[in-house]
Amino acid sequence: MPTDPGSATPSKPAARRHRAPRPRSGTYTVHDVAALAGVSSVTVSRYFNEPHRVSEALREKLARVIEQTGYVPNQVARILATNQGGVVGAVMQNVTSPTFADMVRGMMDVAERNGLQLLLANSNFSRESEARALRTFAGWRPRALIVTRSDHAPEADALLSTLKIPIVEAWEVHAGRPFHQVGFSQLLVGRMLAAHFIAQGATRIRFVLNGLTEDGRAIRRSEGYAKAMRDAGLATDIWRASATDDVEAGREAMAAIAALPPEERPRAVIFANDNMAITAILRAPAHRLSIPGDLAIAGFGDTPLGGVTTPSLTTVRPDSYAIGSRALEIVVASLRDGATQTVPQVQELDCMLVVRDSSRVAR
């Protein structure tokens, strides 16, 4: 008797991975995972924090449940429960700068070796933005904080003084600060650049700043320049562009110099950073100015591009990687020893004057 096709036994559907039903809150908690795995919440926490204390069978079971649920541990809850997060917060002034990138790399290398997680915030040289970032970081109860300026807003200084964690001011050293410091003296850098031109016989030397009035480090470099000029019996010439963007500030500075009568133009110019100095080199031909024949130039930061411009750029090279790595090493040592700010460390590192073709003053 022919078989009725409609009465045939349907084939068994392909097995599908079981997905745990999502809780009403939309997010799985440690308690949901524990219930699905048939273990305690403590066991789930141990699975993440101390897996060696959980049997292999339970680890495999929990791994399946976690895969099914997509559960991610709540780090805030962990920090509140243990008062020990693995986070170190760092507030940078300009994360797009190649100079600061090397510093971040130094911090990250030490953090990773010591089981710490580095979180970055960018203040773009603003004290107000830095204060907001510090308040946010403080709410996360970090193990330590690294800041890249020492002239904070009053509210930021007040907040830092109340925190019972290691705090490191990295990038420059500033006398009289109550926190750990790693870096160099901006005043000495300004003096070094001015002395380089003075030694070559230049008497009209200009220092160019961009429009970022809260970039205190560049201002302190200009103060070092001014001190060297006064000590040599020379007039100071600190010029500030209206533009806050480095490229626009460099363009503005070169247009202003070109507009001066030749006998009034500076013979040498120190730019607050390499980006402005490189822009000046690139714009010089448009103003019929020869670098260094008509105008000798130097910058700060040792941006890689400065070594391949024509002429190549004279600059000052800070040891950015060492500053970052040493800042994290101070954090690690403080956490290990249980110290906070009782005995602040100060590590001052040298900067290197890198003399290239752009700064040779013709005689």
Side-chain angles (χ1 to χ4, degrees), residues 72-145:
V72 176
N74 186 331
Q75 294 298 325
V76 176
R78 175 174 177 259
I79 292 169
L80 291 173
T82 65
N83 201 31
Q84 285 192 348
V87 169
V88 174
V91 184
M92 310 301 295
Q93 297 301 302
N94 181 9
V95 294
T96 64
S97 164
T99 305
F100 279 121
D102 283 342
M103 180 181 173
V104 171
R105 187 165 54 86
M107 290 191 290
M108 290 185 67
D109 284 351
V110 177
E112 289 179 2
R113 287 199 301 269
N114 290 276
L116 297 170
Q117 179 64 54
L118 184 68
L119 294 185
L120 300 179
N122 183 37
S123 70
N124 196 28
F125 300 103
S126 164
R127 290 183 179 88
E128 182 181 349
S129 294
E130 183 198 47
R132 283 198 304 269
L134 289 172
R135 286 196 301 270
T136 301
F137 276 141
W140 282 83
R141 300 194 183 183
R143 302 295 302 279
L145 285 173

Side-chain angles (χ1 to χ4, degrees), residues 190-268:
R191 289 175 65 92
M192 180 191 303
L193 287 164
H196 172 65
F197 288 124
I198 293 170
Q200 297 182 73
T203 57
R204 297 192 309 276
I205 306 169
R206 174 171 288 187
F207 194 105
V208 174
L209 296 161
N210 63 22
L212 287 171
T213 57
E214 290 196 66
D215 186 359
R217 291 162 311 178
I219 292 171
R220 284 185 284 282
R221 288 197 290 278
S222 73
E223 292 169 351
Y225 145 86
K227 179 68 165 57
M229 294 289 284
R230 288 192 297 269
D231 289 348
L234 301 173
T236 61
D237 179 11
I238 299 175
W239 188 91
R240 183 180 288 279
S242 61
T244 57
D245 175 77
D246 287 336
V247 172
E248 288 304 314
R251 291 168 62 97
E252 190 179 330
M254 288 301 285
I257 291 170
L260 293 171
E263 65 275 10
E264 296 180 15
R265 290 173 187 162
R267 183 62 192 85

Side-chain angles (χ1 to χ4, degrees), residues 152-209:
H152 313 286
E155 62 179 298
D157 249 339
L159 172 63
L160 291 172
S161 66
T162 64
L163 298 176
K164 305 301 182 184
I165 58 174
I167 294 168
V168 183
E169 291 178 334
W171 193 246
E172 69 174 310
V173 294
H174 212 89
R177 298 296 297 160
F179 310 115
H180 301 302
Q181 293 188 69
V182 181
F184 56 92
S185 167
Q186 303 284 1
L187 293 170
L188 290 180
V189 168
R191 289 175 65 92
M192 180 191 303
L193 287 164
H196 172 65
F197 288 124
I198 293 170
Q200 297 182 73
T203 57
R204 297 192 309 276
I205 306 169
R206 174 171 288 187
F207 194 105
V208 174
L209 296 161

